[in-house]
Amino acid sequence: MGSVQIVTTILAAAITAVAVWLAVRAVMKMTAVIRLGQPAPERFGDKGARTTKMLVETAGHTRMLKWSVVGAAHWFVMVGFIVLSLLVLEAYFEVVTPGGGLPIIGHWTVFGLVTEWIGILGLAGILVLMAIRLRNRPTRPGGLSRFTGSTMWQGYFVEWVVLLVLIFGFVIRGFKVATDHFEYPVWATPLSHAVGAALPAWSAGVSVAALIKIAISMTWLIVISLNVTMGVAWHRFLAFPNIFFKRDPAKPAGSGLGPLRPMTSQGKPLDFEEADPEKDQFGVAQVEQFTWKGLLDFSTCTECGRCQSQCPAWNTGKPLSPKLLVLSLRDHAYAKAPYLLAGGGKDLTGEEKGTQEQLAGVDVLAMAEADRPLIGTAEEGGVIDPDVLWSCTTCGACVEQCPVDIEHVDHIVDMRRYQVLIESSFPSEAGVMLRNLENKGNPWGAPQNTREDWTKGLEFEVPRVGEADDFEYLFWVGCAGAFEDRAKKTTRAVATLLHEAGVKFAILGEGETCSGDPARRIGNEFVFQMLAQQNVETLNEAFEGREKAKRKIVATCPHCFNTLGNEYGQLGGEFEVVHHTQLLAHLVATGKLTPVQPVDGGVTYHDPCYLGRHNRVFAPPREVLGDSIQGDLIEMPRNSERSFCCGAGGARMWMEEKIGKRINVDRVEEAMATGAKTVAVGCPFCSTMLNDGVNGKGAGEQVEVVDVASVLLRSVRPAGAPGDEKESEPVAG
């Protein structure tokens, strides 16, 4: 060992020791913070499926590759980080001696070949990612950036570290080539040999370059260890457990889509008959009241902004960005952590749990952070502004796009639950809707005895459950389908088509009440459970004696479809629920309905969030429309899983949109830009919102918004189709 190697070895050992010590300390701190969260025992089940899903999502990059170029580039960088960590390890042998290498595998040609090409592709990948970050920088003129609000220096720092580590990997190999210490042939390692041809035969070059590579790598580790909220770096480690512990590993997309998590206290579902607000947690009022998985979510955020770029609120000038919400909660959690870890915290009555002695040594900044309300205005020092909380439509675009499976919607609704149930703090106009749900069983406050009025004038009798026991499907009409004028036309069209196809169905009539979706999404879990338990009891009675496979329900509203099919199981209601477009597609495919008259003028289809993104029903409505128009749909740029929300979800249907551009207007402009004369929908909420948007644009005579079922009915029975009367006057939603 020469003098140069002695110095490089000592320096490499010193900086590594410092980096490892800081990293261990950082990991212990992060673990302590995450463990402050509430229990989530359901996250530990089905470990085999969780492991499989984690490996598929990480190794296969299934979420990232939705964004082709950036996904492919990120995959090469990720693989490079994992595999080329072996070359960082090898550098510790190279600082000791120029001919050093990894034991056993370090001399295999295949090892040289694989690491060479991973290094080359990793270089290309990181340069692409750097270019994308620069092109989308928040300071660039014009347009919204998904990086707005991200800590840009951290992203640049990480990318430059990756680039320099890769470069010095080839510099080390180049010096080995130049000094005749390289064992791999040219065909396996062409770039290394090309670099070697350009470098001098400096004997100490290998050790010096290896030291620089180690110094860069350990500087990166030191920096991220001193910045535990640096998600752009820490996600490399935290993404694996965050994906492993996702809510439902069986889901093909984001596991936070579809049903909401039940309201829990200490890891157990809350029973409202026995719950006590002084002993049981009602929603989330303090950051430590999120589950440990929630705190892991916040720690894992990469600040990539894909959620932000897809969010309908953010894209129409609202203050909500799913990314910034998560980052605010993350920063608050870690700033408050010293106070919590010292024994501080408020109990459910608001009393301080920590003693004066416990809190005596807590930093003043942590104490100040502890006094901030979780939800509050800037004047109140709130972590999350109320306008941020109530801007969410729960469309799930953020969850769909998140590459590390953060469950944004669950966290937003948990905070809403506390605001509604304990603070009674929510947009005032939503109060009317909640009172109507409690008193009338529907959000419009319509008399219950008018639920069957939509059947008047049909040329056939609509059977009721109890009057006709021999039915295949229970037709869940829904509140909109029973009371809202536009939606009633869809209900009549579906009933007519089912009758035409010879499908035996029955309705509950006055026995049906609201599914509870708007109450649950706004955060009023109590009203949801009251309505849901009543409906579950009614449905179980209607299906008495039938196995689950024969307890079939067809629903025209995706919100009812999602609630009955995905959430009633939490309350003992197990049913097979289909959306009407699924059933109609089946009836057309089996020849029980035959479209005969093409619908002309061009048709585009708007994917409802709770049908498409939340429940992955994309093909059936398109199949129905394709058969009806006997041609191809004109797709909007944002369609299928990237469909843009109409603005009505998350109980926003009953709240005024006072900030920024109206979401429904944004979507209507996109639909009108296709040139289609018909905008087909599969949801009564979407119908109302898009109709209002079209009328607001003064285009009611040029563009018609109509349900998929009505389009099919016009094709099956072109002359005088029942329930397909043209709009006489706009109806308020």
Side-chain angles (χ1 to χ4, degrees):
M1 180 186 293
S3 58
V4 172
Q5 282 72 37
I6 292 172
V7 173
T8 55
T9 301
I10 292 172
L11 291 176
I15 193 171
T16 302
V18 172
V20 170
W21 177 74
L22 289 173
V24 169
R25 190 181 69 167
V27 169
M28 290 175 66
K29 180 177 181 179
M30 295 177 76
T31 303
V33 171
I34 291 168
R35 291 182 64 183
L36 288 169
Q38 300 302 302
E42 73 281 2
R43 303 283 181 170
F44 293 92
D46 206 352
K47 291 182 174 61
R50 292 182 180 280
T51 302
T52 300
K53 177 63 73 171
M54 179 193 69
L55 293 174
V56 168
E57 281 198 20
T58 52
H61 248 43
T62 53
R63 309 294 290 280
M64 286 291 294
L65 285 173
K66 293 177 181 178
W67 299 82
S68 55
V69 173
V70 68
H74 191 277
W75 187 85
F76 287 121
V77 172
M78 180 202 72
V79 171
F81 176 79
I82 294 171
V83 176
L84 300 185
S85 295
L86 291 172
L87 296 188
V88 176
L89 178 61
E90 187 174 54
Y92 285 93
F93 293 90
E94 291 162 338
V95 294
V96 177
T97 174
L102 286 177
I104 305 174
I105 64 171
H107 302 286
W108 294 352
T109 298
V110 68
F111 176 75
L113 173 69
V114 169
T115 52
E116 179 86 357
W117 284 100
I118 287 177
I120 292 171
L121 295 171
L123 274 171
I126 196 61
L127 289 171
V128 168
L129 293 182
M130 293 173 80
I132 289 172
R133 187 177 293 273
L134 287 169
R135 190 185 66 194
N136 290 283
R137 65 193 185 280
T139 55
R140 82 194 196 288
L144 291 172
S145 169
R146 63 185 175 94
F147 292 118
T148 298
S150 297
T151 314
M152 294 301 288
W153 75 262
Q154 295 180 351
Y156 294 136
F157 171 75
V158 168
E159 287 169 346
W160 272 102
V161 164
V162 172
L163 179 63
L164 290 173
V165 166
L166 289 169
I167 288 173
F168 272 91
F170 285 106
V171 170
I172 293 169
R173 286 187 163 187
F175 274 121
K176 281 189 169 183
V177 170
T179 55
D180 213 20
H181 287 107
F182 200 56
E183 58 266 41
Y184 307 126
V186 175
W187 66 265
T189 53
L191 183 56
S192 296
H193 279 272
V195 172
L199 291 176
W202 181 28
S203 59
V206 174
S207 297
V208 172
L211 174 63
I212 295 173
K213 181 176 181 179
I214 290 170
I216 293 170
S217 301
M218 292 304 107
T219 298
W220 174 80
L221 189 56
I222 289 169
V223 170
I224 74 168
S225 297
L226 294 173
N227 293 272
V228 290
T229 59
M230 195 170 172
V232 69
W234 281 106
H235 84 274
R236 295 181 176 203
F237 310 106
L238 297 180
F240 297 98
N242 208 55
I243 295 170
F244 180 87
F245 288 115
K246 63 161 62 185
R247 175 144 59 90
D248 185 355
K251 278 187 175 291
S255 78
L257 295 171
L260 287 172
R261 284 182 65 249
M263 196 164 159
T264 61
S265 180
Q266 292 299 313
K268 298 177 182 178
L270 203 63
D271 183 347
F272 278 97
E273 293 183 2
E274 300 178 359
D276 181 352
E278 294 188 0
K279 297 178 181 178
D280 295 300
Q281 182 179 313
F282 279 57
V284 170
Q286 305 288 337
V287 72
E288 65 271 20
Q289 291 177 349
F290 286 105
T291 66
W292 61 262
K293 175 57 169 64
L295 295 176
L296 179 59
D297 270 359
F298 308 153
S299 302
T300 308
C301 179
T302 74
E303 304 189 24
C304 68
R306 283 174 183 79
C307 58
Q308 182 172 285
S309 70
Q310 301 297 297
C311 177
W314 177 259
N315 278 282
T316 53
K318 314 293 188 293
L320 168 64
S321 155
K323 177 187 72 178
L324 298 181
L325 179 139
V326 166
L327 297 187
S328 295
L329 292 170
R330 178 198 69 189
D331 293 345
H332 173 59
Y334 281 89
K336 187 178 179 180
Y339 159 77
L340 296 170
L341 293 171
K346 301 288 194 301
D347 63 21
L348 295 173
T349 65
E351 294 296 318
E352 176 60 59
K353 294 187 290 186
T355 65
Q356 195 169 4
E357 291 76 18
Q358 286 176 305
L359 303 179
V362 177
D363 182 79
V364 64
L365 295 177
M367 293 298 293
E369 196 72 27
D371 288 334
R372 297 180 67 191
L374 190 65
I375 307 298
T377 62
E379 293 75 17
E380 296 167 334
V383 178
I384 304 297
D385 191 277
D387 284 334
V388 170
L389 188 67
W390 298 111
S391 292
C392 180
T393 66
T394 69
C395 70
C398 50
V399 179
E400 169 77 36
Q401 294 300 332
C402 181
V404 292
D405 274 305
I406 293 171
E407 296 161 7
H408 312 72
V409 173
D410 281 340
H411 304 320
I412 288 171
V413 172
D414 273 342
M415 290 186 284
R416 285 183 172 188
R417 284 165 169 169
Y418 180 84
Q419 294 300 305
V420 172
L421 294 170
I422 302 300
E423 296 291 338
S424 296
S425 176
F426 49 88
S428 57
E429 60 268 25
V432 177
M433 178 268 291
L434 289 173
R435 285 193 295 274
N436 286 336
L437 287 178
E438 287 192 72
N439 300 327
K440 300 289 188 177
N442 69 85
W444 282 275
Q448 185 72 356
N449 60 10
T450 62
R451 266 197 183 268
E452 300 178 34
D453 284 1
W454 65 270
T455 64
K456 294 176 181 178
L458 289 175
E459 59 193 39
F460 56 91
E461 191 72 25
V462 177
R464 281 74 175 164
V465 171
E467 298 174 6
D469 293 327
D470 184 23
F471 61 90
E472 183 180 2
Y473 286 94
L474 188 150
F475 182 12
W476 182 272
V477 177
C479 299
F483 301 121
E484 204 271 335
D485 286 351
R486 293 188 186 105
K488 282 196 282 189
K489 295 175 182 178
T490 300
T491 308
R492 290 162 62 84
V494 171
T496 302
L497 288 166
L498 295 181
H499 178 75
E500 185 90 3
V503 175
K504 294 182 179 180
F505 69 96
I507 62 172
L508 290 172
E510 293 183 29
E512 182 181 304
T513 191
C514 180
S515 68
D517 165 84
R520 188 169 225 198
R521 263 89 197 147
I522 202 173
N524 198 325
E525 186 74 5
F526 176 79
V527 171
F528 164 73
Q529 291 204 19
M530 178 186 73
L531 295 168
Q533 286 169 353
Q534 179 181 334
N535 283 326
V536 167
E537 185 177 336
T538 301
L539 290 168
N540 282 339
E541 184 178 333
F543 288 122
E544 189 173 5
R546 297 193 189 192
E547 60 190 59
K548 181 181 177 181
K550 295 183 178 179
R551 296 156 68 92
K552 297 180 181 179
I553 298 174
V554 58
T556 57
C557 175
H559 297 266
C560 296
F561 165 69
N562 178 69
T563 303
L564 271 63
N566 293 329
E567 298 185 338
Y568 276 16
Q570 299 170 3
L571 300 169
E574 297 290 339
F575 314 108
E576 291 289 334
V577 186
V578 298
H579 188 252
H580 71 286
T581 58
Q582 293 175 296
L583 181 54
L584 294 178
H586 171 72
L587 295 175
V588 171
T590 54
K592 294 182 179 179
L593 290 174
T594 305
V596 293
Q597 178 68 47
V599 177
D600 55 15
V603 178
T604 189
Y605 174 64
H606 163 77
D607 287 273
C609 300
Y610 273 84
L611 181 65
R613 188 157 41 240
H614 278 281
N615 285 284
R616 323 310 292 174
V617 179
F618 300 121
R622 287 176 167 79
E623 291 167 0
V624 172
L625 292 170
D627 289 327
S628 300
I629 64 177
Q630 298 182 21
D632 295 327
L633 281 174
I634 307 172
E635 291 282 11
M636 286 184 256
R638 294 176 292 192
N639 64 77
S640 302
E641 68 270 11
R642 291 192 196 171
S643 178
F644 197 71
C645 182
C646 75
R652 291 276 344 157
M653 179 86 165
W654 292 273
M655 294 183 241
E656 290 297 324
E657 199 169 342
K658 301 173 183 176
I659 305 172
K661 183 180 182 180
R662 293 183 68 87
I663 294 173
N664 61 332
V665 171
D666 191 293
R667 185 57 165 170
V668 161
E669 289 174 351
E670 184 176 5
M672 291 174 62
T674 66
K677 300 302 180 185
T678 300
V679 180
V681 297
C683 171
F685 290 4
C686 296
S687 176
T688 295
M689 298 299 285
L690 297 187
N691 262 301
D692 288 351
V694 167
N695 291 331
K697 297 289 291 184
E701 296 298 320
Q702 294 82 41
V703 178
E704 183 185 14
V705 180
V706 64
D707 192 87
V708 171
S710 294
V711 175
L712 177 60
L713 186 58
R714 291 176 187 178
S715 182
V716 171
R717 297 178 60 176
D724 191 36
E725 311 86 11
K726 294 291 183 182
E727 200 71 59
S728 57
E729 59 182 55
V731 180

